[in-house]
Amino acid sequence: MRGHVPTDTTWPPLDPFAGVPDKRYEVKAADLLKPGQTGILRWRRQATNAPIVQVEDAYITGTFDLRAADIGYLFRFERCRFENPPDVREANVLGLVFRKCWLPGLKARNLRSRNDVRLIRSVVEVGPEDSEIPETTIMRGDDRERGMPNAAVNLTDAVIEGSVVLTRTTIKHPHGKAIQADRLVITGALLAYRMVARGEVRVPGMRTGGNVNFSGATFDNPDGFALNGNGLHIGGSLLCEVDNYGPAAERKRFSAKGIVYLPSATVDSDIVLREAHLTVNQNGPVAVDAWKSNDPYLDPRPALVADRLKVDGNLELSDGLRAFGTLRMVNARIGGSLRLAGAEIKMVRGRAAPYYDRALHLDGSTIGGDVEATNLRVPVGQLRMADVQIGGNFLAWNSMFLHPGRDVFSARRAKVAGNFQLTDATLEGTLRLQGVEVGGSVNLFGTKLTEPGQRSTSSFSLDVRTARIGRDLVLTENKERAFVAEGGVNLDGAQIARRLEFGGAQLGSLPAHGIALDASDVIADEFLLGLRVPPAGRVVLRRAHCGTLGDTEEFWAARDGIELDDFRYDALKRGIALDDDAALDHRIALLRKAMRGYRPGPYDQLAATLRAAGNEEHASTVGLRKQEFRYDALAKGFKIFGPGVRLWSFLQRSMVGYGYRPVRALGWLLTLLVLGSLWFGLGSDDCVQNPGRYAVSGPRCLVNQQDTGLQWNPVIYTADLLVPIVDFGNKSRWYMHGADNWVAAGFTVSGWILATTVAAGFGRMVRRDG
């Protein structure tokens, strides 16, 4: 069937958008629907059996009413204007097409169409005088159909056995919904290239067999939902990206002013929002008070809400996407990758706790592939990824996240199967990776972390406490860009399978806590602490353990010292040669300066490491210096008795090297023996000339006159003086007086001192070996 009005072909085609047309174009809707020769059959072309009713260039007055009708025709209207909204509710038709038409609305609730329903390059506009429900869509509980539904296009519960095409169509309803299509079923696709919707596009529970394509579309409902797709199921992809059709200058982005609301949605393929613009009025009626809840994890100003979203393919929020509002996807399931590369997300900074200023909220989500966030920009707001599971890598080269004074990136307990790459990134705020599990490496080459969040207990720029990392944790410079942690690094309890590296890093600290690096209880195969600038704070290595320790002088020069209690390492990356005493002395000096006081454990650890490397001599030297520092600390502690402690230390050090140099005792013994032998052998005694009551035996006198058989031997006499307890039968039998008497007493005292120091040193050596 085909209709053409007017019959005078000299009339120009009707412009349906230019207002009410000339009456010559008028066709009464009732005439189109009358049976017989004046109705539908009037338009039949006998040459064809195609069941098509086509009306062109007509102003259709009255109401085109097919409600509940069962008609096997496809209605096609081109360049037509309708006085009243067409009513096809509960109708069963072959198809419905409006091309370049103007409609005041479309009532199609419960429509059944065996082919496409198309609104192409048309305008559907509901004037303010036609609206019966003036409330905005935020008040969803009051939405009821009374007379004309509160939607310009109503496809609620319709079933379309084809596709719905809304290409380049403009739909306006300033006080209601642009489209209401709850539970709409489409066996084909929903194609809405460059569609313009003023008012909510509401499609909760919609089911499609193919794609839903809003590329180049404009949704404008700033005080509510721009797109409400709660629980929809798309059999293909959801495409909200750039429409590149036509010349390059005419390419058009998808944009939405208002919330894109997709909780519990299911998409069998991809969701693509490349270069999309999403905006929510941060000062409009969509505010905290409109979402009554005490949940601190609420996002009251979201640009995208996709909680419990399920996507079998990729989720593309990338390549120039601009969002002013939270991108919220809590407990989502993404089978492929989440792409954020080249996107920008902004928020209004919260002023009071809870701040409600998350830019990206992914708590509890599972991502089967990678998270690609290269060149992602977040000028204001937090990235929150607690308990997220990523089956691939997290990649964020050259990204910028700014949220000074707060947590800018929080990924507590996240699990990443691959690598966590944050290379050459700039962050203002705290990067919190507490409890993360990473199968590969955490690489922060050249990343700058400044203006960390400050808390009463502890504050750091990087928090990686209790993390489990399958390969490396690399916090190093990248070319000439240093890794900077202005507020320090907290690695307490982290387990790193291979190496922990700080090559060229710059570590600062906050005045309230003063810790530049807390690596307590950290376990790694290698510690590579190759800093080029001394840490500006305290370094804590309590109970940490590594297989190999690589360091620099700058590391040991930490501004506020280093805590090394029970810090263990098995080998030094740069070992100390057996003949390099200067290197050993330098390391001992660095160790002592770093500790800012005496601690025995670090010296024992260094000695054990040297001994394990076969450098027993240097290990003994470390032990000797440790005892020297010990007595020095004791002397300072005893104060009054300090000089005595220092004297005792000097005697032990000089005589036996605190037990680490036992050969010194033999040297002292031989020296004293030689000196005593010379003194007593070369000297003489006046009693030989006037013995009196003493007996003379050679050059000396005997105390007991009955000991005439005893022969004088200065060596044996000196040995008898030097060796305590044991008596060789000489020292008490020979008469000594004057200087000899004093010298003999001195040798006896020296012998006791030597024996005591030897015993002390030997006991210390036994305890050390044990």
Side-chain angles (χ1 to χ4, degrees):
M1 306 175 197
R2 183 178 180 84
H4 185 76
V5 178
T7 56
D8 188 345
T9 58
T10 62
W11 293 355
L14 175 65
D15 181 0
F17 312 117
V20 177
D22 191 285
K23 286 193 174 184
R24 293 172 296 177
Y25 293 94
E26 183 177 323
V27 174
K28 293 183 179 181
D31 291 341
L32 293 175
L33 302 175
K34 288 180 180 179
Q37 295 299 320
T38 60
I40 291 175
L41 297 181
R42 179 165 71 94
W43 308 104
R44 181 188 299 275
R45 279 190 173 182
Q46 299 300 324
T48 179
N49 293 323
I52 299 174
V53 176
Q54 179 159 328
V55 181
E56 300 174 353
D57 303 299
Y59 174 46
I60 300 173
T61 60
T63 300
F64 182 72
D65 189 355
L66 289 180
R67 186 168 187 177
D70 188 355
I71 302 175
Y73 291 96
L74 186 151
F75 291 89
R76 180 182 295 163
F77 298 92
E78 188 164 355
R79 296 184 303 279
C80 293
R81 184 180 180 95
F82 288 80
E83 181 183 29
N84 295 311
D87 189 349
V88 291
R89 288 175 289 178
E90 295 89 29
N92 190 343
V93 298
L94 190 62
L96 193 61
V97 177
F98 300 91
R99 181 177 177 83
K100 295 182 179 180
C101 294
W102 187 95
L103 302 86
L106 176 62
K107 301 178 181 181
R109 188 181 184 113
N110 295 103
L111 171 69
R112 297 294 185 271
S113 174
R114 295 191 292 276
N115 285 285
D116 294 350
V117 172
R118 302 183 184 183
L119 278 162
I120 301 174
R121 297 178 180 268
S122 297
V123 173
V124 181
E125 183 173 4
V126 178
E129 67 279 1
D130 297 324
S131 177
E132 295 187 17
I133 303 178
E135 293 86 351
T136 64
T137 55
I138 231 21
M139 302 180 65
R140 298 186 301 278
D142 288 342
D143 286 355
R144 323 185 273 278
E145 183 172 334
R146 296 180 294 183
M148 188 186 104
N150 191 29
V153 175
N154 193 326
L155 288 165
T156 302
D157 295 310
V159 177
I160 312 299
E161 297 177 8
S163 296
V164 173
V165 183
L166 303 172
T167 300
R168 294 180 181 267
T169 289
T170 298
I171 305 174
K172 301 179 181 179
H173 194 350
H175 299 293
K177 302 173 183 63
I179 298 175
Q180 181 167 345
D182 300 31
R183 301 171 299 280
L184 170 65
V185 176
I186 305 172
T187 59
L190 171 58
L191 306 177
Y193 302 97
R194 305 199 183 205
M195 181 185 75
V196 176
R198 310 292 183 190
E200 178 182 345
V201 176
R202 177 182 170 88
V203 290
M206 180 178 71
R207 299 290 184 270
T208 71
N211 294 340
V212 173
N213 197 326
F214 292 122
S215 296
T218 299
F219 292 175
D220 188 0
N221 190 35
D223 295 338
F225 298 124
L227 172 63
N228 183 350
N230 188 358
L232 64 77
H233 187 161
I234 298 173
S237 297
L238 173 59
L239 306 174
C240 302
E241 55 178 337
V242 173
D243 182 17
N244 291 311
Y245 181 79
E250 296 183 7
R251 65 196 305 269
K252 194 167 185 304
R253 301 169 181 264
F254 170 84
S255 66
K257 292 182 180 179
I259 302 172
V260 176
Y261 192 67
L262 301 172
S264 302
T266 300
V267 179
D268 291 348
S269 189
D270 301 331
I271 295 181
V272 181
L273 282 88
R274 282 192 293 259
E275 297 190 59
H277 283 186
L278 310 178
T279 305
V280 170
N281 186 353
Q282 300 296 299
N283 299 310
V286 181
V288 176
D289 292 340
W291 304 69
K292 297 294 184 181
S293 173
N294 295 322
D295 184 3
Y297 303 107
L298 176 71
D299 296 301
R301 302 179 187 278
L304 170 66
V305 176
D307 294 2
R308 303 172 303 281
L309 172 71
K310 182 180 178 182
V311 184
D312 290 345
N314 298 329
L315 176 54
E316 305 264 356
L317 303 169
S318 59
D319 302 322
L321 175 135
R322 299 292 181 267
F324 190 31
T326 305
L327 299 183
R328 177 185 171 98
M329 292 169 282
V330 174
N331 296 321
R333 298 292 180 268
I334 302 170
S337 296
L338 170 61
R339 296 197 68 247
L340 298 160
E344 180 177 284
I345 312 169
K346 293 192 294 185
M347 286 294 300
V348 170
R349 186 173 169 88
R351 297 182 179 179
Y355 296 110
Y356 297 117
D357 51 15
R358 285 175 286 269
L360 180 66
H361 193 176
L362 297 176
D363 282 10
S365 293
T366 299
I367 301 159
D370 296 338
V371 174
E372 301 176 28
T374 302
N375 292 311
L376 173 63
R377 296 289 184 267
V378 183
V380 179
Q382 179 194 90
L383 283 77
R384 182 176 172 86
M385 298 172 57
D387 300 298
V388 169
Q389 298 185 33
I390 300 173
N393 303 303
F394 180 90
L395 309 171
W397 287 284
N398 302 306
S399 295
M400 182 186 73
F401 310 141
L402 307 181
H403 202 35
R406 299 176 190 168
D407 290 350
V408 64
F409 191 127
S410 181
R412 288 185 177 92
R413 302 174 301 278
K415 296 181 180 180
V416 182
N419 297 323
F420 186 95
Q421 298 273 5
L422 199 61
T423 301
D424 289 339
T426 299
L427 287 81
E428 292 181 3
T430 296
L431 172 57
R432 202 168 294 280
L433 302 177
Q434 183 177 348
V436 299
E437 295 184 18
V438 179
S441 299
V442 175
N443 297 321
L444 275 70
F445 298 106
T447 295
K448 293 185 180 296
L449 303 165
T450 59
E451 299 188 54
Q454 299 192 34
R455 301 186 177 185
S456 58
T457 53
S458 64
S459 301
F460 294 90
S461 285
L462 174 61
D463 187 348
V464 199
R465 284 177 289 172
T466 65
R468 302 291 181 269
I469 300 173
R471 289 178 63 85
D472 306 325
L473 174 57
V474 183
L475 312 175
T476 67
E477 62 186 359
N478 186 31
K479 297 179 181 178
E480 296 183 357
R481 181 183 169 98
F483 170 83
V484 176
E486 189 177 82
V489 176
N490 189 353
L491 305 177
D492 187 9
Q495 295 184 13
I496 303 163
R498 291 187 58 189
R499 75 181 191 274
L500 168 64
E501 186 171 357
F502 281 93
Q506 298 178 15
L507 305 180
S509 63
L510 296 178
H513 308 288
I515 299 177
L517 172 61
D518 187 350
S520 303
D521 299 293
V522 173
I523 298 175
D525 187 53
E526 289 184 271
F527 279 12
L528 303 180
L529 309 176
L531 279 70
R532 295 184 181 176
V533 178
R538 189 167 75 256
V539 174
V540 182
L541 292 171
R542 288 191 301 263
R543 299 178 301 278
H545 179 219
C546 65
T548 302
L549 173 63
D551 53 25
T552 59
E553 185 172 340
E554 288 77 11
F555 168 75
W556 293 103
R559 185 188 68 191
D560 297 327
I562 303 179
E563 296 183 26
L564 295 166
D565 296 345
D566 201 24
F567 172 47
R568 296 177 293 124
Y569 49 93
D570 301 330
L572 294 172
K573 190 170 184 66
R574 291 182 297 175
I576 300 175
L578 293 173
D579 57 350
D580 195 352
D581 295 339
L584 178 66
D585 292 340
H586 183 63
R587 178 165 285 276
I588 293 173
L590 291 176
L591 197 60
R592 189 182 188 196
K593 181 179 179 182
M595 287 191 292
R596 309 293 174 89
Y598 174 72
R599 296 287 187 278
Y603 297 108
D604 292 337
Q605 174 60 58
L606 177 58
T609 301
L610 294 170
R611 190 174 294 111
N615 195 342
E616 185 68 37
E617 183 64 24
H618 281 164
S620 298
T621 300
V622 173
L624 187 152
R625 299 294 297 279
K626 165 195 160 186
Q627 293 300 324
E628 180 182 351
F629 300 147
R630 171 175 173 265
Y631 280 106
D632 185 62
L634 287 173
K636 292 178 181 177
F638 281 114
K639 295 182 180 179
I640 296 176
F641 300 101
V645 174
R646 294 184 189 280
L647 176 60
W648 176 242
S649 174
F650 170 75
L651 292 174
Q652 288 201 79
R653 182 170 65 253
S654 59
M655 290 186 175
V656 291
Y658 302 105
Y660 293 96
R661 299 290 187 266
V663 177
R664 289 185 183 180
L666 180 60
W668 278 102
L669 181 62
L670 292 176
T671 300
L672 292 173
L673 184 61
V674 170
L675 293 175
S677 299
L678 293 174
W679 175 270
F680 294 113
L682 299 176
S684 61
D685 198 331
D686 295 341
C687 72
V688 175
Q689 305 300 328
N690 186 18
R693 57 190 180 89
Y694 300 106
V696 177
S697 177
R700 294 287 178 175
C701 294
L702 290 165
V703 174
N704 191 346
Q705 294 184 354
Q706 283 75 31
D707 291 336
T708 54
L710 187 62
Q711 297 294 319
W712 167 252
N713 189 320
V715 176
I716 296 176
Y717 180 75
T718 302
D720 210 355
L721 292 174
L722 291 172
V723 179
I725 302 175
V726 179
D727 189 356
F728 295 147
N730 278 270
K731 59 185 176 185
S732 60
R733 296 184 179 184
W734 296 100
Y735 171 73
M736 297 288 171
H737 70 283
D740 288 343
N741 195 32
W742 285 105
V743 170
F747 276 103
T748 300
V749 171
S750 298
W752 276 102
I753 293 175
L754 183 60
T756 303
T757 54
V758 168
F762 180 77
R764 189 174 295 110
M765 182 175 62
V766 170
R767 288 195 301 273
R768 183 181 73 245
D769 293 341

